Amino acid sequence: MEEHKSTVARLASEVARFSALKIPFRLYHGSTLSTRQSSRRHGEIIDVSSLSHVLQIDKAAKTVLVEPNVPMDRLVEATVAQGLLPKVVMELPNITVGGGFAGTSGESSSYKYGLFDRTIRGVEIILGNGDVVWASAKEHRDLFFAAAGSCGSLGVITLLEMELIGAKKHVELQYIPVKGTQDAVQQLRHYQHEADVDYMDGIMYSMTSGVIMIGRLTNKIIPERTYRFDRAYDPWFYMHAEDVLRGLDKDKTDYRETIPVQTYLFRYDRGVFWSGLRAFKYFVTPFNRLTRYLLDPFMHSRTMVHALHRSGIASRTIIQDYGVPYDAAEEFVKWTDERTGIWPLWLCPVKSAPQDERSFSQGINIKDDILLDIGIWDMGPADSHAFIKLNRDFEAKVTELGGMKCLYAHAYYTEEEFWSVYDEKKYGELRRKYHAESLPSVFDKVKVDLQGVAGGKREIIRESWSEWAYNSFWGTWPIGGLYGVASATKGLLVQSDFLLKK
């Protein structure tokens, strides 16, 4: 803890210096799973990348003190060694604890516990003037709940206290075939009330074919039916689930298997759900068992996110999660199919927080106790105006249905639209109260240049001739993708810094 305290004191001093000079600054964590383009520049950052340690596990209280840059796989490894697990584990191993708190993360145990931030008891925060405070449901309550989901715009998170549960060695996974979104919702409604259920999510492969997956922690295995999904020769999980679905007889209502708990928690890492398929299509590469095996080093989330950022392809990719009420799920899925034809879709029910304890990102329009997170991940229209309009249409539809979007990705609202969804007055008061005005606002972090699609003038970003030539060259297919892969390859061998602008 002494090293932690020393690091926090140094960071607080840097924050105070920026505040005194009235210089806006951003945070540098050393990694990201956000698809938003980085705006960080040397000389305008607070480097918190060294805050990457699991500091203390209390087995009796079932809590852990952890620094914000600890990724999920390291956290799970540390807690499992003590017979414990986080209540909510983001399903990509490089998502960090701080990212899960400051972002919006709902996973397969969120039907029971809510978003990831609901498992956090308290956080240590450096305020915008350099003061260090502990925020929880009892101390600085307003800051604690608003900081969750506010993209780090209310202070610098330096330590979190997280709740844990007892661990078991395996997850028994039950696959239930469904014939449509309404059928899927019916199954989710039923199993969310079953006391022995620990995890619950689903995949829709089309309007009429999908699978709901119910997980139960167990120390027993099913002989001949225990699988892993983390080795190069293992199947990608979503393809395995589809194979299970195809293998079920018309009269059979489910199928069960067991999966080692750590493999289950990160089962979507290889291929990043099914986004890796798009990489094969982009490079016009055969998609089969052999090519997946040979290219496996590039098919994990750490490498794929690196390549996505460096290639520039992120600006043309739809990577969004939208939460809608159960009763509106069928309408939203049908609307998504008609507008995009994107399949598969991920389904993940998420329990809403009490009204007075909601994170910033849940907004002010949610009324339902459970929202169904629908993950939509694919390439969007090549035309930038069509791409922006489609994303804006998604946002408008979700607002109309009484839902929310996750702010780990770009937001295509105008500023007026954004603050009609989120509580601008309360947020502004907190920014002033806790001296956070030196930090970029949450809108500044998530907004994009709408290029006149929503009216008004296009935001002009001046670039030098060399920058124009660079962007034009690397934006040409397949050069951008090759550059992203080359950069990711280098990142596999040497720690490279793809988040900071040179």
Side-chain angles (χ1 to χ4, degrees), residues 101 123 125 127 133-136 139-148 150 154-155 430 433-434 436:
F101 178 80
V123 293
I125 305 180
L127 303 182
V133 302
W134 182 261
S136 68
E139 306 170 75
H140 302 292
R141 177 184 174 91
D142 54 354
L143 176 63
F144 175 63
F145 290 115
S150 65
L154 290 172
L430 286 170
K433 178 179 178 180
Y434 290 105

Side-chain angles (χ1 to χ4, degrees), residues 26-227:
R26 289 181 179 264
L27 303 182
Y28 173 63
H29 300 278
S31 67
T32 185
L33 207 60
S34 170
T35 58
R36 300 191 304 271
Q37 186 176 0
S38 173
S39 299
R40 302 169 183 85
R41 295 181 183 275
H42 287 286
E44 299 174 5
I45 63 166
I46 298 292
D47 186 349
V48 297
S49 58
S50 64
L51 293 174
S52 58
H53 304 91
V54 178
L55 296 181
Q56 180 180 313
I57 296 175
D58 187 328
K59 294 181 67 172
K62 292 185 178 179
T63 61
V64 58
L65 283 174
V66 57
E67 292 179 326
N69 293 318
V70 173
M72 284 293 105
D73 52 357
R74 281 182 45 213
L75 177 65
V76 169
E77 182 180 3
T79 58
V80 164
Q82 301 297 319
L84 299 166
L85 277 175
K87 287 182 174 179
V88 175
V89 176
M90 283 76 84
E91 285 150 336
L92 299 180
N94 53 320
I95 302 178
T96 62
V97 175
F101 178 80
T104 314
S105 298
E107 308 303 336
S108 61
S109 59
S110 289
Y111 82 93
K112 179 186 293 189
Y113 300 114
L115 292 170
F116 177 76
D117 60 79
R118 297 294 298 163
T119 71
I120 304 299
R121 286 191 177 181
V123 293
E124 181 183 69
I125 305 180
I126 303 174
L127 303 182
N129 64 352
D131 291 347
V132 181
V133 302
W134 182 261
S136 68
K138 295 181 179 179
E139 306 170 75
H140 302 292
R141 177 184 174 91
D142 54 354
L143 176 63
F144 175 63
F145 290 115
S150 65
C151 301
S153 61
L154 290 172
V156 182
I157 308 288
T158 54
L159 186 66
L160 305 95
E161 182 182 20
M162 180 190 303
E163 298 172 346
L164 305 171
I165 58 173
K168 293 184 179 179
K169 293 181 179 180
H170 289 81
V171 171
E172 179 189 276
L173 198 59
Q174 176 186 4
Y175 296 80
I176 304 167
V178 293
K179 297 179 179 179
T181 308
Q182 207 164 18
D183 188 10
V185 168
Q186 183 179 350
Q187 294 292 344
L188 294 170
R189 285 187 193 272
H190 170 73
Y191 282 98
Q192 74 188 33
H193 299 296
E194 297 289 311
D196 66 336
V197 172
D198 298 292
Y199 305 103
M200 188 163 66
D201 71 329
I203 303 172
M204 292 301 300
Y205 295 94
S206 71
M207 284 296 299
T208 58
S209 177
V211 61
I212 295 300
M213 293 160 288
I214 307 300
R216 299 172 176 88
L217 287 165
T218 181
N219 285 322
K220 298 179 181 179
I221 64 168
I222 300 175
E224 309 300 325
R225 288 193 191 174
T226 298
Y227 298 97

